[in-house]
Amino acid sequence: MLVEIHTTIAARDAGLRKGQSKIRELPALHDALVHLGRPMVHALPPEPFTDHMADALITAAWLADAQHHQPLWQPPQLADKNYPDLAATEGWTFGVV
């Protein structure tokens, strides 16, 4: 299975502002994880680490709580009969192949 996830929602919930969601320093990663209620308590990622590593850690922390938020998994707007073309033109946050 191959999964693609767009990490922007997780980054916003981690307190990162639009246009500043790429983290490349441990203090910033720590702050984002604390904001999500998931401070780093285990082994730290290697230094230097990439923004992709930070994305993965932040998204994993975010998913731990996001699993309980039903609108993320079944967006009501995509089922709204007033907008029949929306589901055909707009994707979900998650994609699985």
Side-chain angles (χ1 to χ4, degrees):
M1 175 172 30
L2 177 69
V3 177
E4 177 183 12
I5 182 169
H6 299 277
T7 59
T8 303
I9 293 174
R12 294 295 174 280
D13 282 354
L16 302 172
R17 293 183 310 225
K18 184 176 182 175
Q20 297 183 355
S21 64
K22 294 299 177 189
I23 292 179
R24 294 178 180 92
E25 299 173 354
L26 281 176
L29 174 61
H30 173 74
D31 291 347
L33 293 174
V34 166
H35 194 85
L36 291 170
R38 308 276 178 180
M40 291 185 290
V41 294
H42 299 291
L44 296 174
E47 279 256 23
F49 67 94
T50 68
D51 57 314
H52 300 291
M53 291 176 183
D55 285 348
L57 291 167
I58 291 168
T59 302
W62 175 80
L63 277 170
D65 291 322
Q67 66 178 318
H68 303 294
H69 299 280
Q70 193 64 26
L72 292 170
W73 307 103
Q74 295 177 339
Q77 297 87 348
L78 292 182
D80 190 328
K81 294 183 186 342
N82 293 319
Y83 304 99
D85 295 330
L86 189 62
T89 60
E90 298 296 328
W92 289 44
T93 301
F94 309 97
V96 179
V97 176

